[in-house]
Amino acid sequence: MATTPAGAEALRDLVARSLVGARDRTELLTGCVDDTDLARQHSPLMSPLVWDLAHVANQEELWLLREVGGREPMHPEIDPLYDAFEHPRAERPALPLLPPGEARAYAHEVRGRVLDLVSAATFGGTRLLDGAFAFGMIAQHEQQHDETMLITHQLRKGAPALSAPPPAAPRPDALALPAEVLIPGGPFGMGTSAEPWALDNERPAHTVTVPGFYLDTTPVTNAAYAAFIAAGGYDTARWWSPAGWAHRQRARLAAPLHWRRDGNGWLRTRFGVTEPVPPAEPVMHVCWYEAQAYAAWAGRRLPTEAEWEKAARHDPVTGRSRRYPWGDEDPTAGRANLGQRHLQPAPAGSYPLGAAPSGARQLVGDVWEWTASDFLPYPGFTAWPYREYSEVFFGGGYKVLRGASFGVAPVLSRATFRNWDYPIRRQIFAGFRTARDAEPALAGPGA
Ligand code: AVJ
Ligand code: FE
């Protein structure tokens, strides 16, 4: 698809802003600790921050300078070090990684050459260039690693390195919201074939018929989750799936990760600060098994991925699927808690301007939400441009998460975006909301 000169100018601008925005965040996340801290592994689940930094630069070089730009490799000998499939995270600290100064210099050099390429690009003629896809993919990749690095910061011990203002206090109407909203049964358009920067697993658009169901208006709060704990939820096998109960026993789960008992209440540690658990905030750092057990205790279940997406995108007036719960317009600070503006989710019931047509709030932003569904391809899926983004993970025992956390950049927050992780993982910024089937319609007169 060819672009007009004005279209190319707008795309150059969007690409430059997206790349620069990602890099500003990477610099914040890697500039607020010293070099020793950058090279250290803070958790076996995570890479050293300096690995993420050079990996982001290496992927940018591979896709934008080599694939799109046709340039020769800058340092081919380092490629294997930064290939996520050659070395699992636990092995990375022992690798001869570029030290922080060299990693920064490499990232800076790649970025300079990429911005030169962007200033002359016309974005068309190949699939990687159409709509500036490859550039969008790389900006999204860096932002995904920025969220990963934010998780590393949350796992890091020691004095706080990051700070941000808290989100606004709960809105007065938050308590008056209905507990659940009805999503009437019927077909809707799931996934996308039109969103230029959508990744392969979001494609293609396809129709899915979803029976009527009720969905929590907001994510499950810390207060509600504490009630599950107080009711003995962690000690009652019948709320848990068999695999979940076995995991709960083995891992001795008793509360969300980062929570600690304090008399009758709970404290949590958040980016190095210990504070009382805020009751109105969406619960975070629970694994899929915990989310499933809570839902069973509440007499409910996790929504399927299709249910979640229908609640987030389907406009019952037009029958169309929206880009975001609130419509097609990009996120703003008033619509969603995204982009690490805050270092925590906002109280349940926040962001009325971000509500979906159903009235559900905070579907995008605040916390990732576990769904009931396994990570599988949509009908008609084709891997593109590389199998290792999605395809190799399908059917691998991963559960789908939807909706984006406070640490997700707007460029990744479209309501078709799919995240996935193992059902035991708790370090991610994940919570959940629950659902139930709608009653079958009552038989009318004469039926
Ligand atoms: C989509 C978040 C599961 O971090 O493993 C980063 C994103 N893929 N580099 C991950 C990703 C390649 C991916 N997740
Ligand atoms: Fe990566």
Side-chain angles (χ1 to χ4, degrees), residues 59 103 138 183 222 239 277 300 346 351 376 401 444:
Q59 288 286 303
I138 286 300
I183 315 294
N222 287 325
W239 306 134
V277 165
R300 302 170 67 84
Y351 304 107
L376 293 170
L401 297 121

Side-chain angles (χ1 to χ4, degrees), residues 50-73:
V50 75
W51 185 90
D52 289 282
L53 173 60
H55 164 79
V56 153
N58 187 241
Q59 288 286 303
E60 181 166 333
E61 191 209 335
L62 275 167
W63 286 103
L64 301 184
L65 297 182
R66 301 189 212 173
E67 285 293 325
V68 171
R71 311 289 172 80
E72 290 305 312

